[in-house]
Amino acid sequence: MKTHYAFALLALAAAPALAQTEPGAPPAAPAPAAAPAAEPLWRTQAKAALNLNEATLSSNWRGGGVNTLGLSALANLRANRKQGIHSFDNEADFLFAFSQTAGLGYRKTQDRLYLDTKYGRALNPKWDMFVSLNLLSQFAAGYRYDDSGVQQVSDLFAPAFFTAAYGFEYHPNPTFHVRLSPFAPRLTVVGRVERFVPALGATPYGVNPGRSTRWEILAAQVLAELDRNLSTNLNLKARYVLFANYETLDPKRIDHRLDLTLTAKVSRFVNVSLNGTALYDYDQDSGIQYSQGLTLGVAYAFQNFVDPPKK
């Protein structure tokens, strides 16, 4: 009897294994896939870099030259949200650079303060209606150095350009967009404009002495931006702005500004950056202004979303 009980227990124990290997039995259901991560309400992105350049010469260096120390810092912050046909896009773009040269002292070399906020309503996958407000200014005082001496030509919020734009935006892909604004009033602010008259003439930045603001109500603006990875370790960022006042609509009085930054990633936290600005503004100068900088330094980037795969 005990032998029969033993055989019965062995059969019960082996039954599940036999059932799993029984010919013709359906395969076991696969484990459920992990749920994809929820899309963040706000897509945020931050890029920052700190760059240093220097040259040190001994007192008996016969090749000539002077000791120089240069530092530049830049940051680009974005926070965007899309909800159905509505979108909200915000950007802050900062750049500041200076050099300290023996015999010459401190010199500012580059300075940019840019803030932009925009609301858009989609018309189709590639076109939006939008309204935006942006600010373009600088952080610190600027000076002109020539044979006649040192003259101040700018300062914090002097000038500052506030532009409200209304129009249509074309965005064929995530890396490029262009805003067409047939109505884009602009306010130019220059605090204590009289201090710039000796260097810039009777109406610095188009603002009359005794006043601190200038309105350009009937105006148009075109703004195009590109932020594209040319390769795994090479990124190009460009912003072009055209501004035209209908009251003085003349080709030579149309303002143009182009900002370019080309960044090559050397390692995870080290990069080489080439940046430049070209500006034509008849109210400032009848010629083209430009600045350029090449730096090597440390960089950091963060975003809370995953880029879509390249097609």
Side-chain angles (χ1 to χ4, degrees), residues 55-67:
T56 303
L57 309 175
S58 66
S59 59
N60 61 343
W61 180 255
R62 301 308 182 195
V66 293
N67 296 342

Side-chain angles (χ1 to χ4, degrees), residues 76-123:
N76 183 267
L77 312 172
R78 296 173 182 262
N80 302 328
R81 178 179 176 180
K82 187 169 180 60
Q83 189 171 18
I85 62 173
H86 306 284
S87 61
F88 306 89
D89 300 296
N90 304 278
E91 180 181 6
D93 191 31
F94 308 130
L95 169 64
F96 188 79
F98 70 88
S99 65
Q100 183 75 27
T101 304
L104 297 176
Y106 166 86
R107 297 284 192 275
K108 183 178 74 169
T109 54
Q110 292 179 303
D111 194 354
R112 181 172 70 238
L113 188 165
Y114 178 79
L115 302 173
D116 181 79
T117 184
K118 176 182 72 73
Y119 162 74
R121 189 179 191 278
L123 300 175

Side-chain angles (χ1 to χ4, degrees), residues 121-196:
R121 189 179 191 278
L123 300 175
N124 60 48
K126 294 185 178 180
W127 284 92
D128 289 359
M129 292 178 61
F130 81 90
V131 55
S132 71
L133 177 66
N134 64 51
L135 161 68
L136 177 64
S137 187
Q138 59 187 32
F139 290 98
Y143 298 88
R144 185 171 70 189
Y145 305 90
D146 54 29
D147 295 338
S148 61
V150 179
Q151 294 178 306
Q152 187 175 3
V153 294
S154 62
D155 205 345
L156 173 65
F157 279 73
F161 302 99
F162 295 87
T163 306
Y166 310 84
F168 300 91
E169 180 183 69
Y170 175 61
H171 45 85
N173 57 64
T175 65
F176 173 77
H177 69 260
V178 58
R179 301 179 194 172
L180 307 174
S181 308
F183 182 53
R186 183 172 74 175
L187 172 66
T188 302
V189 178
V190 182
R192 295 191 296 121
V193 67
E194 294 81 4
R195 57 186 161 155
F196 305 131

Side-chain angles (χ1 to χ4, degrees), residues 20 35 63 88 90 96 120 196 202 206 213 230 241 249 253-254 296 310:
Q20 291 176 7
F88 306 89
N90 304 278
F96 188 79
F196 305 131
T213 60
L230 304 181
V241 180
L249 197 56
R253 290 185 175 272
I254 296 177
L296 170 67
K310 292 184 178 179

